[in-house]
């Protein structure tokens, strides 16, 4: 039976596990769970401010961006929403500030032209200088684009909403002809441009491009918007940045650290960035004292609610817990296991759920409910896949370490190399996010030993021969003070989150945390 057929049989009207890319999720609004600071990032267009949101991949950055875009098409929206997520032309210029500003000018110009095309009378409320700015920007920044670049720029004007397709039908095709027709419809074809302004538009210096950007923002405000929101996303999705946080940081550094641009009157720049870029950007000038910086992280309750809402949205409210799909003889709270093993990633939570369903539907004559065996097998298969994707070049090394926590001496014994050699090995693991320091382990009569642990329990699950229940019971404990889960095999250690003493003898294991109540 196919996954889709099984889900339909289980009571779903659609597939809640089909997509993990927010841009493909048409019903995102039905199950979007806003993080506590979402309203702060959305902000007040009357007093626009810039923000930087850091989050891991699959952590919900794009979902937040999409919700801001959707707010922008509401009739009472007071901001012009423009998404900047295509960096092909910027890569070749090394992330040059002027190049970023020109790209931003292009999409603001198209937004202004699309508004005037719909209501050309507004052009007469602009000064002659304003009209010259728009016309020269259309000619110099938009008219020179290739067809694909022009299409990307039109798509970036999120305030157009569903009208983008109609706009493209009218003004797509040969770019220069489309722009000329658009300017005519906007009432700008008879505007004479001064020579000095035309020369300034051709100047490649940041001062010139910023002048046009600031002028275009002011013109947008004159056309009725309180502010222009630039949403910057997907910096780490170019061929040169996808596996290189430093390269991604360099690509956006000049823009995210230029306070003159970020504090442009009437504009707000909202960056949605991979969390692995944060250290590089902070080290190289990101001003958290002038630009609000937030780290997106989900609580267990928020992730649980997210999964519940998603299941309910596709089942007309009939299914609100993954446990409803699992054999009631299973001792584990499968819904909670998905939440904890997602490692804070909504995307991974859905992918793991799909892996479980996939394993269930592979069985001949499968029962209606997912068995404990298929639940465990789905978790193991996804853990292997996830570990390979994120830490592929180190996976063989990780598989040789039996415990979730270890000292350098223990690791040196496993790999049969010197302490110096294993230190270099572990130091290479830490920046990937696979391993993190856990403090020290007492070493009676000698100096305490530095302690390290895997940051993602799925790494342990992927290579362990133990059953899932045994891994949850022996490799992860809950801190009674802050309720965070610590991946370690230690008899006692300091909680890396709050500093409290955690003793395995008295602490709850993750297995106990995820065991269904008998009541």
């Amino acid at each position: 039976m196919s996954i889709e057929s099984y889900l339909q049989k289980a009571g779903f009207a659609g597939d809640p596990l089909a997509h993990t890319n927010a841009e493909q999720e048409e019903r995102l609004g039905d199950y979007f769970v806003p993080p506590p600071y979402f309203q702060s990032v959305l902000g007040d267009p009357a007093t626009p401010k810039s923000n930087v949101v850091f989050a891991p991949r699959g952590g919900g950055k794009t979902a937040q961006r999409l919700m801001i875009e959707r707010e922008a098409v509401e009739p009472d929206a007071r901001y012009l929403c423009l998404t900047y997520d295509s960096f092909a032309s910027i890569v070749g210029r090394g992330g040059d500030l002027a190049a970023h500003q020109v790209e931003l000018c292009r999409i603001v110009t198209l937004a202004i032209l699309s508004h005037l095309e719909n209501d050309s009378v507004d052009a007469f409320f602009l000064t002659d200088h304003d009209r010259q700015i728009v016309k020269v920007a259309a000619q110099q920044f938009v008219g020179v684009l290739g067809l694909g670049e022009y299409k990307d720029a039109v798509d970036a004007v999120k305030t157009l909403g569903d009208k983008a397709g109609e706009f493209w039908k009218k003004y797509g095709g040969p770019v220069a002809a489309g722009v000329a027709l658009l300017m005519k419809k906007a009432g700008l074809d008879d505007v004479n441009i001064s020579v000095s302004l035309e020369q300034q538009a051709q100047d490649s210096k940041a001062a010139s491009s910023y002048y046009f950007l600031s002028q275009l923002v002011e013109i947008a405000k004159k056309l009725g918007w309180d502010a222009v929101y630039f949403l910057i996303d997907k910096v780490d999705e170019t061929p040169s940045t996808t596996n290189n946080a430093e390269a991604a940081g360099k690509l956006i550094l000049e823009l995210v650290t230029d306070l003159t641009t970020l504090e442009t009157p009437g504009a707000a720049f909202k960056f949605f960035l991979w969390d692995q870029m944060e250290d590089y950007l902070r080290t190289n000038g990101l001003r958290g004292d002038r630009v609000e910086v937030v780290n997106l992280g989900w609580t267990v309750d928020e992730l649980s609610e997210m999964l519940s809402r998603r299941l309910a949205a596709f089942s007309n409210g009939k299914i609100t817990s993954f446990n409803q799909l699992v054999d009631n003889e299973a001792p584990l709270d499968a819904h909670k296991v998905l939440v904890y093993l997602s490692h804070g990633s909504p995307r991974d939570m859905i992918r793991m759920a799909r892996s479980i369903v996939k394993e269930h539907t592979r069985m001949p004559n499968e029962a209606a409910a997912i068995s404990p065996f298929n639940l465990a097998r789905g978790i193991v298969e996804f853990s292997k896949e996830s570990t390979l994707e994120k830490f592929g070049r180190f996976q063989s090394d990780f598989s040789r370490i039996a415990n979730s926590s270890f000292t350098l001496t223990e690791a040196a014994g496993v790999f049969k190399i010197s302490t110096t050699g294993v230190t270099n090995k572990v130091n290479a693991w830490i920046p990937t996010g696979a391993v993190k320091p856990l403090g020290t382990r007492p070493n009676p009569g000698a100096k305490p030993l530095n302690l390290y642990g895997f940051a993602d329990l799925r790494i342990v699950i992927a290579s362990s021969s133990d059953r899932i229940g045994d891994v949850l019971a022996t490799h992860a404990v809950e801190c009674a003070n802050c309720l965070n889960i610590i991946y370690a095999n230690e008899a006692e250690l300091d909680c890396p989150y709050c500093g409290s003493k955690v003793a395995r003898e008295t602490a709850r294991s993750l297995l106990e945390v995820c065991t269904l109540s008998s009541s």
Side-chain angles (χ1 to χ4, degrees), residues 2 75 80 104 130 185 263 272 303 320 332 335 362 374 381 445:
S2 69
L80 170 60
L104 297 171
D130 291 338
K185 287 282 290 184
E263 295 175 351
F272 300 90
L303 285 166
T320 58
L332 284 180
H335 191 95
R362 286 177 58 185
N374 286 330
E381 289 305 310

Side-chain angles (χ1 to χ4, degrees), residues 12 143 159 281 336 348 390 502:
F12 290 98
T159 298
L281 292 176
K336 193 174 284 188
D348 280 0
K390 293 179 171 68
V502 179

Side-chain angles (χ1 to χ4, degrees), residues 25-59:
E25 299 185 43
E26 296 180 359
R27 303 178 67 172
L28 178 65
D30 294 338
Y31 45 83
F32 176 73
V33 175
Y37 58 78
F38 179 70
Q39 286 302 319
S40 176
V41 174
L42 179 60
D44 181 358
T47 55
K49 64 176 182 178
S50 296
N51 319 81
V52 179
V53 177
F54 287 110
R57 287 172 172 168

Side-chain angles (χ1 to χ4, degrees), residues 11 43 79 128 162 251 258 512:
Y79 59 92
D128 183 58
D162 294 337
L251 183 61
D258 187 68
E512 292 171 305

Side-chain angles (χ1 to χ4, degrees), residues 431-465:
T432 69
V435 170
K436 64 180 181 181
L438 290 177
T440 59
R441 179 193 289 170
N443 187 24
K447 182 180 177 182
L449 300 171
N450 289 329
L451 185 65
Y452 300 86
F454 288 114
D456 187 338
L457 193 60
R458 294 172 301 192
I459 298 172
V460 179
I461 293 171
S463 56
S464 177
S465 59

Side-chain angles (χ1 to χ4, degrees), residues 186-205:
L188 299 173
D189 54 323
D190 61 345
V191 173
N192 294 315
I193 302 170
S194 69
V195 174
S196 60
L197 195 61
E198 195 157 14
Q199 289 175 338
Q200 191 168 1
Q202 296 171 353
D203 189 342
S204 61
K205 295 184 178 65

Side-chain angles (χ1 to χ4, degrees), residues 370-413:
I370 297 170
S371 68
F373 175 79
N374 286 330
L375 174 67
R377 195 166 68 167
I379 292 171
V380 170
E381 289 305 310
F382 177 72
S383 296
K384 291 178 179 178
E385 182 180 345
S386 172
T387 302
L388 183 62
E389 288 173 353
K390 293 179 171 68
F391 317 113
R393 65 193 179 105
F394 299 123
Q395 187 179 29
S396 61
D397 280 350
F398 295 161
S399 67
R400 297 172 64 181
I401 299 177
N403 293 323
S404 52
S405 58
F406 54 90
T407 65
L408 293 176
T409 302
E410 289 171 339

Side-chain angles (χ1 to χ4, degrees), residues 113-374:
L113 289 174
S114 68
H115 175 84
L116 293 175
E117 182 266 346
N118 189 54
D119 195 351
S120 60
V121 173
D122 281 359
F124 295 101
F125 293 100
L126 302 179
T127 67
D128 183 58
H129 181 71
D130 291 338
R131 297 172 72 190
Q132 287 186 56
I133 288 285
V134 176
K135 185 169 184 178
V136 76
Q139 291 177 340
Q140 297 296 331
F141 301 143
V142 181
V144 297
L145 294 176
L147 189 59
E149 295 170 316
Y150 181 42
K151 179 66 164 62
D152 287 343
V154 171
D155 290 342
V157 185
K158 300 304 179 181
T159 298
L160 281 174
D162 294 337
K163 297 177 183 176
E166 181 182 339
F167 181 89
W168 179 252
K169 287 179 182 177
K170 288 183 182 178
Y171 305 107
V175 179
V179 171
L181 178 60
L182 189 51
M183 284 195 291
K184 183 175 182 179
K185 287 282 290 184
L188 299 173
D189 54 323
D190 61 345
V191 173
N192 294 315
I193 302 170
S194 69
V195 174
S196 60
L197 195 61
E198 195 157 14
Q199 289 175 338
Q200 191 168 1
Q202 296 171 353
D203 189 342
S204 61
K205 295 184 178 65
S208 294
S209 52
Y210 176 71
Y211 173 76
F212 279 94
L213 180 62
S214 59
Q215 290 291 301
L216 289 165
V217 168
E218 277 300 312
I219 291 168
K221 291 183 66 180
K222 289 181 181 180
L223 296 177
W225 288 290
D226 288 346
V228 178
Y229 280 14
F230 295 99
L231 312 184
I232 299 96
D233 193 11
K234 301 185 180 180
V235 179
D236 60 314
E237 295 186 17
T238 73
S240 61
T241 62
T242 187
N243 290 314
N244 191 323
E246 184 173 326
K250 287 179 179 178
L251 183 61
I252 204 67
L253 180 65
E254 290 196 21
L255 179 60
V256 78
T257 59
D258 187 68
L259 295 178
T260 300
T261 301
L262 301 189
E263 295 175 351
T264 300
F269 295 80
K270 300 182 183 294
F271 297 83
F272 300 90
L273 305 178
W274 182 23
D275 62 348
Q276 296 297 310
M277 297 164 58
E278 183 173 5
D279 286 347
Y280 175 83
L281 292 176
R282 284 190 181 275
T283 301
N284 289 278
L286 175 62
R287 292 284 299 274
D289 61 325
R290 298 278 289 273
V291 181
E292 182 183 43
V293 177
V294 293
N295 291 87
L296 175 56
W298 299 102
T299 66
V300 168
D301 288 344
E302 287 167 343
L303 285 166
S304 180
E305 181 186 356
M306 199 180 296
L307 180 56
S308 293
R309 285 192 187 185
R310 191 180 189 111
L311 296 174
F314 285 88
S315 65
N316 298 318
K318 296 175 185 176
I319 300 170
T320 58
S321 170
F322 197 78
N323 291 329
Q324 291 173 248
L325 305 180
V326 178
D327 190 325
N328 56 19
E329 292 184 5
L332 284 180
D333 183 332
H335 191 95
K336 193 174 284 188
V337 169
L338 283 170
V339 169
Y340 276 104
L341 293 185
S342 69
H343 197 52
S345 167
R347 178 182 297 163
D348 280 0
M349 181 170 63
I350 301 308
R351 290 180 64 197
M352 189 180 297
R354 188 172 183 84
S355 177
I356 292 167
V357 172
K358 180 180 177 182
E359 290 303 316
H360 177 65
T361 57
R362 286 177 58 185
M363 300 297 290
N365 304 314
E366 78 277 355
I370 297 170
S371 68
F373 175 79
N374 286 330

